[in-house]
Amino acid sequence: MIDFPVINWIGVAVAAVAAFVFGAIYYSALGRPWMKAARIDPESATMSAALFVVSFLGLLIMSAILALVIGAVAGSPAGIVASIQVALVLWVGVNLAPMAVNHRYQGFGWDLTVIDGIYWLGVFLIIAIVQSLFE
């Protein structure tokens, strides 16, 4: 049985906000190379509030799930080192590997996988580190 009360919901929320800010900075810096790799025409690209809401909700869900998994694997409190180790394992196994497979089938180059993969690595690490500060 999952013990939801052991989750520090403030830590989950702060970690999601930190990951969201990281994404804004990361993709602001790499927006053009990412659009080229994703075959998006910068002139026709549009942004909407809904994209940001969906992005934040996704990060919030990831943060909660990562808290559950870290707690289950490393115990509570897990500490920063164990939290980072679990985050790295999850990033490789449930994020990077399927993303690399999908990008190959979708015909995208490795440049998109590298740009997105580094972003998601940052997200997993930020969430793990921030949450460990709230233990």
Side-chain angles (χ1 to χ4, degrees):
M1 182 58 107
I2 296 174
D3 189 11
F4 289 104
V6 300
I7 294 176
N8 185 317
W9 293 104
I10 294 172
V12 166
V14 172
V17 169
F20 187 82
V21 169
F22 166 71
I25 294 167
Y26 183 83
Y27 282 110
S28 290
L30 293 175
R32 292 232 180 257
W34 177 81
M35 281 194 242
K36 181 180 178 190
R39 300 183 198 127
I40 296 171
D41 176 21
E43 302 302 320
S44 63
T46 59
M47 302 298 281
S48 70
L51 288 173
F52 295 109
V53 170
V54 169
S55 296
F56 182 74
L57 290 175
L59 291 169
L60 195 59
I61 291 167
M62 283 183 66
S63 186
I65 297 301
L66 197 53
L68 283 173
V69 174
I70 289 171
V73 172
S76 184
I80 194 165
V81 173
S83 295
I84 288 172
Q85 289 172 333
V86 173
L88 286 172
V89 168
L90 288 174
W91 170 71
V92 170
V94 302
N95 180 264
L96 183 62
M99 181 176 56
V101 170
N102 284 352
H103 285 172
R104 300 300 71 75
Y105 277 98
Q106 294 163 349
F108 290 111
W110 283 102
D111 50 349
L112 181 62
T113 306
V114 169
I115 292 169
D116 285 345
I118 291 170
Y119 162 72
W120 287 113
L121 172 61
V123 166
F124 274 77
L125 292 176
I126 287 167
I127 289 173
I129 291 167
V130 170
Q131 286 183 4
S132 70
L133 298 175
F134 284 84
E135 293 182 333

